[in-house]
Amino acid sequence: YTVGSLKVSELNEKENYLVLDLKGFSSHPLHCSHILSGYFAQVVQMVLGQEVTAKEVKCPNKGDSFHQYRLEW
């Protein structure tokens, strides 16, 4: 994509999680909560070599100003 910006807003290696902020990107609610969270989890899983879970914690479709995902391993 050439729209939006994705940044790691928090990384905690001791507690095994990171938080991603996706700004300037709009999509259907199902795309946000299922497709993007799964995509981000799989990318991090390939890098770490261990199972990763992702949850959308903020979404413009729910009134937030940007998307935010918490990934844990």
Side-chain angles (χ1 to χ4, degrees):
Y1 292 99
T2 59
V3 296
S5 65
L6 179 66
K7 295 188 179 181
V8 175
S9 62
E10 188 176 350
L11 172 61
N12 189 321
E13 293 182 66
K14 184 176 180 181
E15 295 184 26
N16 296 336
Y17 74 89
L18 68 87
V19 178
L20 296 174
D21 292 347
L22 177 59
K23 298 180 179 180
F25 185 83
S26 60
S27 62
H28 188 277
L30 291 176
H31 188 250
C32 304
S33 61
H34 296 299
I35 296 171
L36 287 177
S37 59
Y39 175 78
F40 295 141
Q42 288 301 308
V43 169
V44 174
Q45 184 170 319
M46 286 189 287
V47 172
L48 296 176
Q50 51 188 303
E51 188 171 330
V52 176
T53 60
K55 180 180 180 183
E56 184 182 42
V57 293
K58 289 185 180 181
C59 180
N61 294 306
K62 296 178 183 175
D64 299 301
S65 60
F66 61 94
H67 300 277
Q68 187 175 73
Y69 297 87
R70 180 182 170 105
L71 291 86
E72 300 177 353
W73 59 92

